[in-house]
């Protein structure tokens, strides 16, 4: 098949899923055209069957807000015509799905598949300023997928939609995320300290304040270091909280990193404190590396973590509960090893990339 893929190119789970899915399909012989504002961060554009088309628009003084959605639709039309695309697969309802529907109106033939990821539904799409356009995008897509049951059910309820939403859970390429693939598995540790890691795009929804306060409580009984990976708007505020709690010398900020498997492999525990999370791909990546998580009970996280077996789930905003579970795991080597083994097994059995690719291809053909 010939497939156009649109995603946010920067760090973030939806772009990662779009990229890994596209690459896996290209390796099966499908022709994959990424149509995006920049090269997606993990895209090996040199590989066979992978193409990248950058969206750009004419700057014009009258355009106080450049109409990217229109430039994207226009690029989708051009690429679909030139390469005879069968499918436009867009990750995120807003604005990618709207652009794809407009492109389909112009082209008349291409099929639009929309994958819902998270805040396009859980936060932004529900705002009055986006509600009707988001609903329209979902209803008008030829097929819609969601990354968790929670997200599919929430979408149907919030937007009063009875259309089928195919749930295809996020997945892991264990050819990349496995300890066997790592050259180093202890690059973060000094001495006998425990390593706690968090990876995100540091937005308000991640509630990092709760995570940092939990870390402060963990340090009352465990010699631990917190490693924060990623970048985002909340980082300055996070640094202020860390300073005010006197934790600065126990926290490392690594920014966005390409060596994620190695970093995860050096951690003992992953912490996630989100207020809402449709899935929590970062937790699944940690699990693939044998790192259990303590996470808040935020939406789809129960579809990823089995409480008491592959991690612990605590109420959102509750730093004492998060700290208590973290200390349990960090101080009990036998428990941590058994959770770690269960994590790796679960990822291989329930979140394989091969199964996900088959499911997406079935939706394309549907
Ligand atoms: O919507 C977002 O918050 C951004 C998005 C992203 O690109 O990282 O995250 C969402 O999609 C991921 C991949 O499907 C999920 O793992 C995240 O849980 C989801 N984020 C939220 O629901 C907050």
């Amino acid at each position: 098949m010939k497939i156009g893929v649109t995603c946010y190119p920067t760090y973030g789970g939806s772009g990662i899923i779009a990229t890994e899915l596209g690459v896996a399909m290209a390796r099966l012989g499908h022709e994959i055209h990424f149509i995006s504002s920049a090269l997606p961060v993990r895209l090996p554009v040199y590989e066979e069957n992978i193409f990248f088309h950058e969206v750009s628009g004419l700057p014009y003084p009258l355009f106080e807000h450049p109409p990217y959605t229109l430039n994207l639709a226009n690029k989708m039309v051009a690429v679909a015509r030139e390469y005879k695309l069968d499918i436009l697969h867009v990750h995120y309802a807003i604005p990618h799905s709207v652009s794809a529907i407009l492109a389909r109106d112009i082209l008349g033939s291409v099929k639009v598949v929309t994958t819902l990821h998270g805040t396009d539904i859980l936060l932004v799409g529900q705002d009055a300023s986006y509600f009707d356009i988001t609903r329209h995008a979902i209803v008008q897509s030829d097929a819609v997928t969601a990354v968790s049951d929670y997200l599919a059910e929430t979408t149907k309820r919030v937007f009063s939609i009875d259309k089928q939403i195919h749930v295809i859970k996020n997945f892991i390429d264990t050819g990349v995320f496995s300890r066997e693939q790592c050259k180093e598995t202890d690059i973060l540790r000094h001495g006998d300290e425990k390593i706690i890691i968090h990876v995100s795009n540091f937005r308000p929804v991640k509630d990092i304040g709760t995570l940092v306060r939990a870390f402060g409580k963990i340090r009352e009984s465990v010699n631990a270091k917190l490693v924060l990976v990623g970048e985002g708007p909340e980082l300055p505020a996070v640094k202020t909280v860390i300073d005010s709690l006197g934790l600065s010398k126990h926290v490392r900020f690594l920014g966005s990193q390409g060596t994620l498997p190695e970093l995860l492999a050096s951690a003992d525990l992953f912490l996630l404190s989100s207020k809402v999370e449709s899935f929590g791909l970062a937790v699944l990546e940690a699990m693939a590396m044998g790192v259990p998580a303590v996470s808040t009970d935020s939406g789809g996280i129960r579809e990823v973590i089995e409480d008491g077996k592959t991690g612990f789930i605590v109420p959102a905003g509750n730093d004492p509960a998060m700290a208590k579970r973290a200390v349990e795991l960090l101080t009990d080597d036998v428990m941590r090893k058994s959770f770690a083994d269960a994590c790796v097994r679960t990822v291989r059995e329930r979140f394989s990339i091969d199964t996900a690719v088959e499911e997406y291809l079935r939706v394309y053909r549907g």
Side-chain angles (χ1 to χ4, degrees):
M1 295 177 107
K2 295 184 174 197
I3 303 151
V5 176
T6 295
C7 62
Y8 285 110
T10 46
Y11 285 90
S14 56
I16 290 165
I17 288 295
T19 304
E20 290 184 355
L21 186 62
V23 171
M25 287 185 174
R27 288 176 184 163
L28 290 177
H30 300 283
E31 196 175 295
I32 310 295
H33 294 262
F34 284 84
I35 307 168
S36 183
S37 56
L39 192 68
V41 278
R42 288 193 198 168
L43 184 67
V45 78
Y46 47 84
E47 279 205 24
E48 194 102 357
N49 294 330
I50 292 181
F51 301 81
F52 170 64
H53 310 274
E54 187 173 339
V55 180
S56 56
L58 177 76
Y60 187 64
L62 209 60
F63 293 160
E64 201 184 328
H65 308 288
Y68 173 72
T69 307
L70 302 184
N71 300 134
L72 174 60
N74 202 73
K75 192 71 175 181
M76 285 169 163
V77 171
V79 176
R81 275 195 185 133
E82 186 176 350
Y83 296 93
K84 305 200 174 7
L85 299 186
D86 305 296
I87 307 277
L88 286 173
H89 186 176
V90 291
H91 294 260
Y92 248 71
I94 310 168
H96 302 155
S97 190
V98 179
S99 301
I101 287 161
L102 187 51
R104 184 188 60 191
D105 286 350
I106 297 168
L107 290 160
S109 56
V110 79
K111 197 165 166 181
V112 174
V113 176
T114 297
T115 292
L116 308 174
H117 279 274
T119 46
D120 48 349
I121 297 304
L122 302 172
L123 298 174
V124 186
Q126 294 186 34
D127 187 84
S129 63
Y130 288 108
F131 186 89
D132 288 304
I133 200 80
T134 306
R135 186 175 192 283
H136 181 78
I138 295 167
V139 170
Q140 290 301 316
S141 293
D142 295 289
V144 178
T145 75
V147 299
S148 64
D149 292 318
Y150 168 79
L151 186 59
E153 282 153 23
T154 308
T155 306
K156 288 183 171 191
R157 178 173 46 78
V158 168
F159 292 97
S160 308
I161 288 171
D162 58 11
K163 178 190 182 105
Q164 180 178 16
I165 297 182
H166 306 266
V167 175
I168 305 179
K169 304 224 169 149
N170 284 335
F171 52 82
I172 294 289
D173 181 353
T174 48
V176 179
F177 280 85
S178 76
R179 292 184 91 88
E180 297 83 59
Q181 300 296 327
C182 284
K183 290 193 197 85
E184 296 270 1
T185 53
D186 227 356
I187 49 179
L188 293 170
R189 198 183 314 274
H190 294 291
D192 64 355
E193 67 185 359
K194 296 286 187 234
I195 304 294
I196 300 174
I197 196 163
H198 169 79
V199 184
S200 79
N201 45 21
F202 292 89
R203 289 174 305 143
V205 72
K206 304 290 173 185
D207 190 14
I208 310 291
T210 290
L211 191 150
V212 170
R213 281 188 291 277
F215 175 64
K217 293 190 171 71
I218 294 166
R219 272 206 55 84
E220 288 168 13
S221 56
V222 179
N223 174 22
K225 178 161 80 192
L226 176 63
V227 178
L228 298 175
V229 182
E231 271 156 32
E234 287 294 287
L235 265 182
V238 169
K239 284 181 179 158
T240 307
V241 179
I242 289 169
D243 285 347
S244 71
L245 293 175
L247 294 169
S248 306
K249 65 176 190 296
H250 306 296
V251 181
R252 283 200 64 189
F253 297 91
L254 297 190
S256 296
Q257 289 291 325
T259 50
L260 204 47
E262 273 78 11
L263 294 172
L264 288 169
S266 346
D268 299 291
L269 178 68
F270 190 99
L271 286 186
L272 186 73
S273 48
S274 302
K275 293 177 199 158
V276 62
E277 201 71 60
S278 68
F279 184 88
L281 182 64
V283 167
L284 195 64
E285 289 181 335
M287 285 170 60
M289 303 307 300
V291 181
V294 176
S295 169
T296 43
D297 195 358
S298 42
I301 214 74
R302 284 188 182 273
E303 296 171 50
V304 181
I305 296 176
E306 209 174 320
D307 192 21
K309 191 176 165 201
T310 56
F312 284 120
I313 298 177
V314 299
N318 192 332
D319 49 276
M322 176 167 271
K324 182 170 174 291
R325 286 307 202 181
V327 169
E328 273 177 54
L329 264 171
L330 290 171
T331 54
D332 185 337
D333 292 346
V334 175
M335 184 201 275
R336 212 171 56 255
K337 171 82 172 75
S338 122
F339 276 42
D341 292 346
C343 284
V344 173
R345 227 177 15 252
T346 301
V347 169
R348 288 182 192 271
E349 287 169 5
R350 291 186 32 224
F351 298 99
S352 115
I353 186 168
D354 297 339
T355 309
V357 167
E358 275 170 33
E359 289 174 342
Y360 277 108
L361 285 173
R362 213 172 299 134
V363 169
Y364 290 173
R365 293 186 178 117

